[in-house]
Amino acid sequence: MFPLSAQQQIVWLQHQTVPDSRAYYSSAVVNFHGRVDSAVLRKSVVDAVGRHDAMRLRICDLDSPVPHQEIVEQVSLDIPEYDLRGVEESEGRRAELLHQQMHTEFDLQAAPLARWMMVRLADDHWQLFMTEHHLVHDGRSTVAFLRDVLAQYAAEESGGSFLPVGAPSYQEYVAHITSDEYREAVAASVEWWTENLKDAAFLVEFPELAEQRSELFDYRGGQYRQSLPADLMAEVRTAAQRGGHTVFSAMLAVYAELCRRYSGQHDLVIGMPMANCPARFENTVGMMVNTVPVRLVIDPSAPCSEVGVDALAAIFEAVDHESAPVQDLVKALGLSGKGLDNPLFNVTFGMHDRPFPAVDVPGLTVDMQVALSTRSARFDLSVFVTPGAVLHGDEGEYGYELSWDYSTQRFDSDDVELIATGFETLLRAYAANPLEPIGSLALAEVAPSPRAAQTAPEVRDAVEEAAPATPPRPAAGQEDRADSPWLVAFRDILERDDIDEQTDFFQAGGYSLLVPKLLSRYASLSGWRPPTSLVFEFSSPSELEAASAARRPSAADVR
């Protein structure tokens, strides 16, 4: 057994709190056009699972506050195959199979935490469905795994020999990032972020669009998919190169300007997924990605190209300090957040820039579709950018695909379509007028929010005033109980003697990954372990005592 990484701990806690959510499931569809030997393809997948230990991980040691993981040496891998040639309404049947593939629950105690399905749509068209739990996967790893599968398939089809690319195991990666030397580097990154994020307004609000959430973040979500044409992206590339930056920094600058207009906030913190892959581990498969808070201060009078350069500098700085786990930053910054909301950022922007592997099989072409919607969201608003060349594995003229994932507790589909349309409008104006002030671009089409004059604190005050009342107080007399199990557990875990029955766990220094330890301590005192979500719903000892009394099963129920 070996411990979960810091990033895996976040994923595991989400599963404990909202077990029905599929926010941390990821699916891709790989299209094969040409002759396919399904038996060889299946064997290539099975063999690749045997080579990559992350694909054979299971969660164990469930009695500890935070569990461990172990590698199963041999797994039984079933890859079903469906032939839909000649089937009436074959597209509907394909959609049913894909839904089943994406939404069937994973048993975290059983390996593998990934699954595959093969579907034949025509004589020369196959699809491979691939779904992975984020405990064992990130986008970079998906491409590395598929590269391994397709290289073996090509070798076996041509009668040649296959030599897999050597890579350290995922278990070695976890040992590396938990070493004292690596933790020293993490501490230095945390210190840098703490200084960089001083006095930041962490959350971006959309007061004219978004609902104000008044309940536990439940990961329910939707997705809007957007295609940006090749000619537009060629213009963006030209403008970015002339301005001394990149396509991605240009898109990030436009996204930040869009957020500024809708929120009225000039100082923005945007989450950005980073590979977080140390040297030597480039070909290792497993969960490594870390999402870091990128801070951008947008001056609407600054030329577009200047904002793009600032965004590029912020990206480079984030890469230099990408190892800092979110939970370490939250603790160092003294932040608190009720529920599962990330107190560092609620909007993200990322790009999948690892090219899809080429397949050297005559008469066979392969491409991929990623970021399929699971009707869930990890944040209020997330944008995932995929260049067309990444999906198709060549240097052809392709546009970009954008996936806008959003919380349905905050936005409706019309809101997100409006935001996405505004993004494309601003991007076109940016490419055409890279020397113009970014705040003046396309004002008629993408107007600032009517509340744009408000400062970030004023926006937050408005949000707080609109928030619902606090949960009902506990029954009379309950608040007078001394040394209740919850009170003792709070004091033990937070290591503070000044905790009282009204203390809010998160405002007193608690954070999400301390919740399992709090629950274990409470269980040792009371003999009952409540569901993880209880602490996010009720966060003071008095509220938790009342809620526990109402929800704890009676002795008769246990019998």
Side-chain angles (χ1 to χ4, degrees):
M1 290 192 303
F2 58 103
L4 301 179
S5 70
Q7 289 73 33
Q8 285 179 307
Q9 289 177 25
I10 294 172
V11 177
W12 172 80
L13 180 63
Q14 185 274 341
H15 177 84
Q16 291 296 108
T17 308
V18 193
D20 293 334
S21 170
R22 301 295 181 260
Y24 283 95
Y25 289 22
S26 180
S27 294
V29 173
V30 184
N31 275 290
F32 295 82
H33 297 277
R35 192 190 71 83
V36 174
D37 188 326
S38 60
V40 174
L41 181 57
R42 182 182 294 104
K43 178 179 183 298
S44 299
V45 172
V46 172
D47 290 351
V49 170
R51 287 190 292 271
H52 297 285
D53 64 339
M55 290 298 187
R56 293 177 280 110
L57 290 176
R58 76 178 194 93
I59 304 301
C60 55
D61 192 23
L62 297 180
D63 292 334
S64 62
V66 178
H68 286 70
Q69 56 190 332
E70 67 179 3
I71 298 167
V72 178
E73 289 304 319
Q74 292 188 343
V75 297
S76 176
L77 193 59
D78 176 37
I79 304 179
E81 181 178 319
Y82 296 89
D83 189 345
L84 301 186
R85 291 176 298 176
V87 174
E88 290 187 15
E89 299 184 3
S90 59
E91 178 54 33
R93 177 59 176 150
R94 189 201 75 92
E96 291 176 3
L97 291 171
L98 182 57
H99 184 275
Q100 171 188 329
Q101 166 78 8
M102 294 171 60
H103 292 274
T104 299
E105 183 177 5
F106 281 110
D107 177 0
L108 300 190
Q109 299 179 66
L113 296 180
R115 54 177 170 260
W116 298 264
M117 180 187 295
M118 297 173 62
V119 177
R120 189 171 194 178
L121 300 173
D123 290 346
D124 60 351
H125 186 191
W126 289 74
Q127 289 186 335
L128 175 67
F129 299 163
M130 180 175 178
T131 299
E132 302 159 303
H133 198 290
H134 221 341
L135 283 166
V136 302
H137 134 97
D138 57 29
R140 179 202 55 81
S141 294
T142 296
V143 173
F145 180 84
L146 285 172
R147 182 187 60 218
D148 205 14
V149 169
L150 296 175
Q152 178 177 342
Y153 179 82
E156 298 210 7
E157 279 289 276
S158 65
S161 59
F162 170 66
L163 183 63
V165 177
S169 68
Y170 186 69
Q171 186 170 359
E172 290 176 282
Y173 166 79
V174 174
H176 174 75
I177 65 172
T178 53
S179 66
D180 291 341
E181 181 181 1
Y182 188 84
R183 291 302 303 172
E184 288 178 7
V186 168
S189 289
V190 170
E191 184 177 353
W192 182 88
W193 282 113
T194 303
E195 181 63 27
N196 178 264
L197 295 171
K198 184 181 298 182
D199 300 322
F202 290 97
L203 303 184
V204 179
E205 304 291 350
F206 294 75
E208 292 300 315
L209 294 179
E211 297 292 331
Q212 301 303 330
R213 183 168 51 245
S214 61
E215 55 192 24
L216 178 67
F217 185 62
D218 63 6
Y219 291 89
R220 286 179 294 131
Q223 184 181 85
Y224 178 77
R225 298 185 76 91
Q226 181 181 33
S227 295
L228 300 180
D231 59 347
L232 168 60
M233 298 316 300
E235 293 173 6
V236 173
R237 184 176 301 105
T238 298
Q241 290 173 346
R242 289 175 178 172
H245 54 100
T246 66
V247 171
F248 183 60
S249 62
M251 296 180 80
L252 175 61
V254 168
Y255 183 65
E257 168 62 11
L258 190 69
C259 289
R260 183 193 70 81
R261 294 191 186 189
Y262 275 106
S263 68
Q265 300 168 223
H266 295 257
D267 189 348
L268 303 160
V269 177
I270 298 172
M272 183 175 295
M274 295 286 176
N276 194 34
C277 185
R280 292 195 310 117
F281 294 95
E282 295 88 349
N283 296 310
T284 299
V285 169
M287 168 52 169
M288 303 182 196
V289 69
N290 188 31
T291 305
V292 298
V294 174
R295 186 175 187 179
L296 294 172
V297 179
I298 303 298
D299 178 359
S301 66
C304 298
S305 58
E306 181 179 314
V307 180
V309 170
D310 289 345
L312 183 62
I315 293 169
F316 283 153
E317 289 177 336
V319 171
D320 288 341
H321 302 90
E322 66 181 348
S323 63
V326 167
Q327 54 267 48
D328 289 15
L329 294 181
V330 170
K331 185 176 181 180
L333 289 163
L335 298 177
S336 63
K338 185 68 177 289
L340 288 175
D341 293 34
N342 186 320
L344 288 173
F345 45 81
N346 62 332
V347 298
T348 71
F349 195 83
M351 178 181 281
H352 190 337
D353 58 358
R354 187 145 181 170
F356 186 76
V359 182
D360 188 15
V361 176
L364 181 65
T365 60
V366 184
D367 58 36
M368 178 174 61
Q369 185 181 15
V370 298
L372 304 179
S373 176
T374 57
R375 297 200 295 271
S376 56
R378 301 174 197 167
F379 302 97
D380 286 350
L381 186 65
S382 297
V383 183
F384 188 71
V385 180
T386 309
V390 169
L391 299 174
H392 298 279
D394 61 44
E395 297 301 322
E397 292 296 322
Y398 299 107
Y400 280 38
E401 300 292 329
L402 275 63
S403 301
W404 296 74
D405 290 326
Y406 59 94
S407 167
T408 51
Q409 292 174 287
R410 300 303 305 273
F411 300 99
D412 62 30
S413 58
D414 290 341
D415 291 336
V416 178
E417 184 174 356
L418 178 66
I419 294 172
T421 301
F423 177 82
E424 180 175 351
T425 301
L426 275 181
L427 192 64
R428 288 184 179 278
Y430 185 104
N433 306 282
L435 300 181
E436 292 296 315
I438 195 168
S440 68
L441 294 180
L443 282 177
E445 296 88 352
V446 189
S449 164
R451 301 188 187 184
Q454 290 184 311
T455 62
E458 289 169 332
V459 173
R460 290 196 300 273
D461 290 344
V463 171
E464 291 171 2
E465 291 174 4
T470 56
R473 304 305 305 168
Q478 201 145 25
E479 64 274 7
D480 297 328
R481 293 182 60 183
D483 299 325
S484 66
W486 279 113
L487 180 60
V488 172
F490 269 50
R491 289 175 175 170
D492 289 349
I493 298 302
L494 295 175
E495 299 180 348
R496 288 177 52 176
D497 294 330
D498 60 339
I499 302 295
D500 61 30
E501 292 284 0
Q502 310 308 322
T503 299
D504 184 286
F505 179 75
F506 299 101
Q507 294 180 4
Y511 50 94
S512 59
L513 287 173
L514 276 184
V515 171
K517 296 181 180 180
L518 178 69
L519 293 171
S520 292
R521 180 59 180 140
Y522 175 79
S524 70
L525 295 168
S526 69
W528 174 63
R529 184 185 175 96
T532 305
S533 59
L534 198 69
V535 179
F536 294 108
E537 189 175 356
F538 305 100
S539 53
S540 70
S542 61
E543 292 170 347
L544 284 164
E545 282 295 319
S548 299
R551 300 190 188 187
R552 180 171 180 168
S554 65
D557 292 334
V558 173
R559 289 197 297 269

